[in-house]
Short mmCIF file of all heavy atoms in Angstrom, two decimals:
data_model
loop_
_atom_site.label_atom_id
_atom_site.label_comp_id
_atom_site.label_asym_id
_atom_site.label_seq_id
_atom_site.Cartn_x
_atom_site.Cartn_y
_atom_site.Cartn_z
N ILE A 182 113.29 107.57 82.02
CA ILE A 182 112.88 106.87 80.79
C ILE A 182 112.47 107.88 79.73
O ILE A 182 112.88 107.79 78.56
CB ILE A 182 111.74 105.88 81.09
CG1 ILE A 182 112.26 104.68 81.90
CG2 ILE A 182 111.09 105.39 79.78
CD1 ILE A 182 111.17 103.75 82.38
N SER A 310 97.75 91.75 101.62
CA SER A 310 98.64 92.25 100.57
C SER A 310 100.09 92.12 101.01
O SER A 310 100.91 93.03 100.84
CB SER A 310 98.29 93.69 100.23
OG SER A 310 96.97 93.83 99.80
N TYR A 404 95.93 114.51 92.39
CA TYR A 404 96.46 114.23 93.72
C TYR A 404 97.88 114.74 93.93
O TYR A 404 98.35 114.80 95.07
CB TYR A 404 96.40 112.72 93.99
CG TYR A 404 95.00 112.19 94.07
CD1 TYR A 404 94.58 111.12 93.28
CD2 TYR A 404 94.07 112.75 94.94
CE1 TYR A 404 93.29 110.63 93.35
CE2 TYR A 404 92.78 112.28 95.02
CZ TYR A 404 92.39 111.22 94.22
OH TYR A 404 91.10 110.75 94.30
N ASP A 497 100.92 74.81 109.48
CA ASP A 497 101.25 74.59 110.88
C ASP A 497 102.19 73.40 111.05
O ASP A 497 103.05 73.39 111.94
CB ASP A 497 99.97 74.36 111.70
CG ASP A 497 99.16 75.64 111.85
OD1 ASP A 497 99.69 76.72 111.52
OD2 ASP A 497 98.00 75.55 112.30
#
Side-chain angles (χ1 to χ4, degrees):
I182 289 173
S310 301
Y404 294 126
D497 289 349

